[in-house]
Amino acid sequence: MSMNLQPVSTDPEALLAGLDPEQRVVAESLGGPVCVLAGAGTGKTRAITHRIAYGVATGTFAANRVLALTFTTRAAAELRSRLRVLGAHGVSARTFHSAALSQLNYFWPHTVGGAFPTLISGKGKLLGQLAEARRLRLDTAALRDLAAEIEWRKVSGLSIEQYAASDRPGIGSISLEQVATLQQGYEDLKDERKQLDFEDVLLTCVGMIHSEASVAMQVREQFRHFVVDEYQDVSPLQQQLLDAWLGPRNDLCVVGDASQTIYTFAGARSSYLLDFERNYHDATIVRLERNYRSTAPIIKDANALMRGRAGALELRAADTASSTEGPGRPAATPAPITARFRDDLAEARGVVSRIIELHESGTDLADIAILFRVNVQSSVFEQALNEAGLAFRMHGGTRFFDRPEIRQALMELRGASVSIVGEPLFKSVSDVLRAHGWTVDPPEQPGALRERWEALNTLMDLVDRAAPGTTLRVFTDELLERQAAGAEPTQQAVTLATMHSAKGLEWETVFLVGLSEGLVPISYATTETMVDEERRLMYVGITRARSRLMLSWAEGAPRGSGSRVPSRFLTEMGHPTR
């Protein structure tokens, strides 16, 4: 979410002016069904937001009759932000769960009556109580796996009886039959306490629409036009809810990329995207394959990895992707580099050494990411970054606005904004932040104090980027809007992230690390289907990079447990492994 975004003209033709030919086809295809097959970096969000805005500007859509659906609150906030800038005020952009919960809260008093059930924030506590009552010793990891099994069963549309008859493997020493019994106990206990979990929200909404004709009529009257982003991630339960919302209509636009299906373990099915044309015979199909993010050598690697796979698009570099210079982007287009290291620590130090070179030559740390397969791999890179005195942030860790120093600073800035008028913004904000430990110069040593300073300094960076004349009141209101939307500001630090959590993000420079067999693909990927998912995950990692990509692996396994071999995916892309 950008501070000080300027609205564009809402003249219909002006909305189409900046789109490429394929994006323009998307925007002008206002009658459903429409399927947009959009490769990484091809401007899919731009295309669908301009489609919605164009539909509103031409009078084809009533803004309050459009429901744009996605999978995370961050993505929904991004959609809302872009639509506001395009003049499409009143469009509802939400997650499936948010939309369903809103409808349940509205209709429950009229259809069921009584108090709405309480929502449980997580399954772990309830499952722990259940296991203890049955004298089962389940550690935190086992409880987490049990919760994941419950979620998978419910989003896959299976009853407990169907689950018990499936080929799921059980959890550790707990058999499939015992897991099914625990799931039944969980559902019984939840019903007894009048509670709903995350998946129940969708199930209950589907049930209410199917069983109450008046609810179905009102919901379908309220929303006439549906847009679904990241459609390759839809689960059977989400598709069931979408079908219930649509009813007999087909005014639906979906956008997705089968090559970025990386959540099948959680119930996602790309088949809904791949079979869209078969299910909707009159569908408009548009392919977005011009990649505006990455340079040609990076795109070449991505295509080589996915070529011949179901639904794979053939990306091509847009003219601007390989020739335009910008902050942190080299004048030339360097090819991806493959590096082999002696062991994990040598790999981490080698990567950090390269980061230091880039930083000293002008690349911002915020434009650099280190991506790995599993969280445990981060520790050695944290050690190497600390040794070098470089700031870093773990994506998916404590959110920026949840940090105690930021929460306190925001509260004090809000109070100060009521009484301070006419003072320079820098002075107003810095006076508040100095009380929390901010100084012009950062602490020299890494650690908690440096992390605290980096967080506070991010607020000062926003001051530097604010428009001239911005008042403390306006600045604080924009911060509070960011906080509510979950739109975190960019911190001047190297990002550490798993490839899963990096989906939807991008950086100038990406280091894909730990690319050895057993990590990528992961050791438990024992079937062709599972290896294909690992391949798609690496594709996601590769396509996060705009201009530089380094692929690395370490030969030595931890604690002298043998040697590793490079990932088969490096060979598939034609990279040297020795």
Side-chain angles (χ1 to χ4, degrees):
M1 182 178 179
S2 173
M3 305 276 276
N4 306 306
L5 284 173
Q6 298 300 313
V8 301
S9 170
T10 55
D11 173 68
E13 285 306 308
L15 287 169
L16 301 178
L19 303 181
D20 71 25
E22 293 80 20
Q23 292 170 347
R24 184 171 181 132
V25 171
V26 174
E28 292 180 316
S29 299
L30 298 180
V34 177
C35 179
V36 184
L37 301 172
T42 57
K44 68 178 180 64
T45 306
R46 178 179 177 82
I48 60 172
T49 51
H50 278 73
R51 177 184 186 269
I52 294 170
Y54 184 68
V56 172
T58 58
T60 308
F61 299 163
N64 64 344
R65 295 291 188 263
V66 179
L67 179 57
L69 295 158
T70 190
F71 290 83
T72 67
T73 54
R74 182 180 65 81
E78 175 69 13
L79 283 176
R80 287 193 294 271
S81 176
R82 294 201 192 193
L83 288 168
R84 280 199 302 270
V85 172
L86 295 173
H89 302 282
V91 172
S92 184
R94 317 187 79 157
T95 65
F96 278 86
H97 285 85
S98 173
L101 184 59
S102 176
Q103 291 175 14
L104 285 179
N105 276 312
Y106 179 81
F107 289 113
W108 192 273
H110 311 294
T111 57
V112 181
F116 186 72
T118 58
L119 298 177
I120 61 174
S121 57
K123 299 178 177 65
K125 184 176 180 181
L126 195 151
L127 289 172
Q129 294 170 352
L130 183 65
E132 185 177 350
R134 295 170 181 256
R135 297 183 178 179
L136 286 173
R137 301 186 64 179
L138 300 180
D139 60 17
T140 302
L143 289 173
R144 193 162 53 238
D145 287 345
L146 180 55
E149 282 298 286
I150 292 172
E151 292 160 8
W152 180 87
R153 174 183 63 78
K154 295 172 88 165
V155 303
S156 298
L158 299 181
S159 67
I160 292 177
E161 292 75 17
Q162 290 171 322
Y163 175 86
S166 72
D167 58 357
R168 299 293 282 184
I171 299 173
S173 61
I174 304 174
S175 68
L176 178 63
E177 183 180 2
Q178 287 175 303
V179 171
T181 301
L182 284 169
Q183 292 200 35
Q184 185 62 62
Y186 166 81
E187 297 296 339
D188 293 343
L189 186 57
K190 186 162 51 64
D191 290 345
E192 179 186 318
R193 296 180 178 181
K194 294 183 170 56
Q195 294 177 321
L196 296 179
D197 63 21
F198 207 55
E199 295 72 42
D200 290 333
V201 170
L202 303 190
L203 286 164
T204 306
C205 191
V206 170
M208 186 174 286
I209 293 171
H210 284 323
S211 63
E212 300 287 342
S214 63
V215 172
M217 182 180 68
Q218 290 181 70
V219 167
R220 291 167 188 167
E221 175 61 26
Q222 172 63 56
F223 295 115
R224 306 301 300 259
H225 312 281
F226 291 83
V227 177
V228 186
D229 193 12
E230 303 287 4
Y231 192 58
Q232 77 280 350
D233 289 336
V234 77
S235 70
L237 176 55
Q238 288 163 331
Q239 182 63 47
Q240 191 179 359
L241 178 57
L242 180 61
D243 290 340
W245 282 333
L246 278 165
R249 302 193 306 268
N250 65 359
D251 201 344
L252 170 67
C253 174
V254 302
V255 57
D257 179 9
S259 294
Q260 296 188 69
T261 307
I262 58 174
Y263 293 108
T264 60
F265 64 89
R269 295 191 185 174
S270 61
S271 57
Y272 296 114
L273 176 68
L274 296 174
D275 293 342
F276 193 87
E277 191 172 7
R278 188 177 305 132
N279 294 330
Y280 294 94
H281 300 295
D282 56 342
T284 299
I285 308 296
V286 187
R287 287 173 171 79
L288 301 184
E289 296 177 310
R290 298 176 197 245
N291 182 290
Y292 292 92
R293 176 187 301 155
S294 305
T295 58
I298 294 172
I299 291 171
K300 180 181 177 183
D301 268 4
N303 285 335
L305 187 63
M306 295 307 299
R307 189 164 288 120
R309 304 291 161 177
L313 298 166
E314 187 74 15
L315 299 177
R316 61 186 186 278
D319 292 339
T320 56
S322 58
S323 61
T324 302
E325 294 183 36
R329 170 163 286 191
T333 54
I337 299 169
T338 304
R340 177 185 62 181
F341 294 93
R342 182 182 66 255
D343 54 35
D344 292 339
L345 184 57
E347 181 181 19
R349 286 173 173 162
V351 166
V352 169
S353 176
R354 179 63 178 141
I355 290 173
I356 292 171
E357 292 176 10
L358 292 171
H359 188 45
E360 289 177 345
S361 64
T363 301
D364 286 342
L365 294 181
D367 285 331
I368 300 172
I370 302 171
L371 307 183
F372 34 78
R373 178 62 178 84
V374 290
N375 272 312
V376 71
Q377 292 173 267
S378 72
S379 60
V380 69
F381 291 93
E382 293 176 36
Q383 176 185 338
L385 288 163
N386 272 325
E387 289 173 352
L390 294 179
F392 63 89
R393 60 183 290 268
M394 185 69 190
H395 182 67
T398 303
R399 297 176 64 86
F400 178 80
F401 287 110
D402 290 338
R403 296 181 66 97
E405 64 270 21
I406 298 300
R407 293 172 70 91
Q408 184 66 29
L410 272 182
M411 186 169 62
E412 294 181 17
L413 286 169
R414 187 177 186 181
S417 70
V418 176
S419 57
I420 296 177
V421 179
E423 190 173 83
L425 184 61
F426 178 90
K427 183 180 186 307
S428 301
V429 178
S430 63
D431 284 349
V432 170
L433 299 189
R434 286 179 199 278
H436 294 279
W438 181 81
T439 56
V440 173
D441 297 316
E444 293 184 0
Q445 299 299 319
L449 287 177
R450 177 62 183 252
E451 290 177 12
R452 181 186 183 89
W453 183 89
E454 294 285 357
L456 295 171
N457 195 59
T458 298
L459 295 181
M460 294 306 301
D461 286 342
L462 293 177
V463 170
D464 293 339
R465 296 201 294 272
T470 299
T471 65
L472 180 60
R473 181 62 179 268
V474 169
F475 179 77
T476 304
D477 286 347
E478 289 179 337
L479 284 177
L480 293 172
E481 184 181 350
R482 279 178 175 270
Q483 183 183 38
E488 299 192 353
T490 300
Q491 294 179 254
Q492 289 304 311
V494 176
T495 300
L496 299 176
T498 64
M499 285 183 261
H500 276 105
S501 70
K503 188 171 179 291
L505 304 175
E506 59 185 77
W507 296 268
E508 283 299 330
T509 301
V510 168
F511 293 86
L512 271 184
V513 301
L515 300 180
S516 60
E517 290 288 314
L519 286 172
V520 183
I522 199 75
S523 58
Y524 53 75
T526 55
T527 67
E528 184 177 349
T529 299
M530 296 170 78
V531 170
D532 276 345
E533 178 119 343
E534 294 290 301
R535 180 181 288 102
R536 294 191 295 269
L537 185 58
M538 184 159 169
Y539 172 86
V540 167
I542 289 170
T543 54
R544 300 312 93 196
R546 292 197 287 261
S547 59
R548 298 186 191 88
L549 177 65
M550 178 173 167
L551 311 162
S552 65
W553 62 287
E555 286 185 304
R559 296 175 295 282
S561 56
S563 59
R564 300 188 182 111
V565 296
S567 170
R568 69 193 75 175
F569 301 146
L570 293 173
T571 303
E572 289 182 15
M573 294 187 296
H575 280 277
T577 55
R578 289 293 171 186

